[in-house]
Amino acid sequence: EMARLEVAVADQHVDGVTLVMSRGGTLRGRVVFEGGSPPDPSSYRLMSRPIDPLEGFEMGGGADAVKADGTFELTGLFGRRTLVVMGGVMGGGAPQAITIGSAAGWSVKEVLVGGRDVQDAGVDFAPGAVVNAQVVMARDFPEISGTVVTDRGAPVTDYSVLVFSEDREKWFLPSGRFLRTARSNQDGQFKASSLAAGRYLLVAAESFDPNTTGDPDELERLRALATEVTLGENEKKTVALTLVTP
C-alpha cells in the first residue's frame, strides 16, 4: 500500500497532514502481435511510469512478466501513467519507452483502452480502479532512411540526423515516436524507424549536443535548416540530406 498527497509549503509550518493508504489501481490486459511470426510473449516484461517524469517510478508500477498467453497485470498504480516495455529479445532486457526502439523488429503500435490509443495520453489510476488494455505490437511502421552529402555534393559517412515532428506539441510525448536521432552506419547511411505517420523535419550534422534534443527553443531554431518529409501510414521514404552546421 502507498499514499500520496501534494502539499504546498511557503514560509509557515504545515501541520495536521493526514495520509490515507491505498493499494492503488490495477492494469490488466494482453499483448498481441500484428502480422508476421510473433515472438514468445513471455520474453517481455511490462512496467508503468508517470506521465510527469518529475514523479519518478516510486508510486507503483513494478515490472511484471507477460505470461505465455500474452496476458499481464500491473498493480499498485497511482496517478496518470504510461507503459514501459522490456524484454530479453530487445538486447539484454534494457528498458525502453513504449514505442522507442524495437524488439527483434517489433515495436508498440497502440495501447488500447476502451478502443482508444493511450500510449501518449496515459491512463489515470484511482485507488482500487481496474483498467483493461491491449498492447498491439507490429513490425511495419513509417520510416525514413537515406544518405548525407556536403554542400559540394561529396558523400559524408560519419554524421547524425535529427528527425522531429513539424508539430512542436508532439516533440516530447511519452511514446517518443515523434523525435528521433539516427547515427550513420558503416555504409554511411541512416535510418529512423518506428515513427508515426505525419510531417517531419530532418537536420543532418556531424553531431548534436544531447541538450539540443531536449530543448524546444533549439528545435525551433533548427527549423530553418531542416528538410521536410511527409510520411503516410507504414510509408518508407529515402532521402538525400545536406550536412549543416547547427
Side-chain angles (χ1 to χ4, degrees):
E1 293 189 352
M2 297 184 184
R4 174 185 174 184
L5 178 66
E6 293 186 9
V7 178
V9 180
D11 56 354
Q12 297 180 345
H13 293 297
V14 178
D15 299 317
V17 175
T18 300
L19 297 176
V20 180
M21 301 296 287
S22 168
R23 294 184 182 275
T26 298
L27 178 66
R28 293 174 181 160
R30 184 182 298 273
V31 177
V32 299
F33 297 88
E34 184 180 274
S37 179
D40 178 8
S42 64
S43 65
Y44 290 84
R45 295 175 68 83
L46 298 182
M47 66 185 299
S48 73
R49 66 178 182 184
I51 287 289
D52 184 353
L54 296 179
E55 293 185 12
F57 281 79
E58 70 277 4
M59 298 299 289
D64 181 69
V66 179
K67 297 179 176 60
D69 63 358
T71 60
F72 63 88
E73 179 175 291
L74 299 176
T75 59
L77 306 179
F78 294 82
R80 180 170 287 270
R81 307 182 75 91
T82 186
L83 289 175
V84 174
V85 179
M86 300 179 288
V89 292
M90 291 183 183
Q96 298 182 331
I98 194 160
T99 56
I100 295 178
S102 62
W106 294 91
S107 294
V108 177
K109 179 180 180 180
E110 296 176 309
V111 179
L112 299 174
V113 173
R116 186 170 63 95
D117 185 4
V118 299
Q119 59 181 313
D120 285 315
V123 178
D124 278 318
F125 289 93
V130 177
V131 176
N132 294 297
Q134 183 179 69
V135 179
V136 181
M137 305 287 289
R139 305 184 80 168
D140 199 12
F141 287 88
E143 70 177 36
I144 304 172
S145 60
T147 56
V148 173
V149 298
T150 67
D151 56 1
R152 296 186 177 182
V156 181
T157 58
D158 188 16
Y159 59 87
S160 291
V161 175
L162 182 61
V163 181
F164 56 107
S165 173
E166 195 249 357
D167 181 358
R168 63 173 292 147
E169 297 300 319
K170 297 180 178 179
W171 290 345
F172 305 116
L173 290 176
S175 69
R177 295 177 293 168
F178 301 95
L179 178 63
R180 291 274 198 270
T181 301
R183 190 71 191 171
S184 56
N185 62 20
Q186 60 185 8
D187 297 319
Q189 300 175 340
F190 75 91
K191 181 167 69 173
S193 56
S194 297
L195 298 166
R199 296 168 64 184
Y200 289 88
L201 302 174
L202 281 67
V203 179
E206 291 184 356
S207 63
F208 291 96
D209 186 321
N211 294 324
T212 297
T213 59
D215 186 339
D217 291 335
E218 281 298 300
L219 293 177
E220 282 291 353
R221 185 181 65 82
L222 290 174
R223 281 184 185 270
L225 303 174
T227 298
E228 184 175 307
V229 176
T230 299
L231 290 175
E233 194 68 29
N234 299 334
E235 185 176 12
K236 277 77 171 169
K237 283 192 174 179
T238 302
V239 298
L241 303 176
T242 300
L243 193 74
V244 301
T245 302

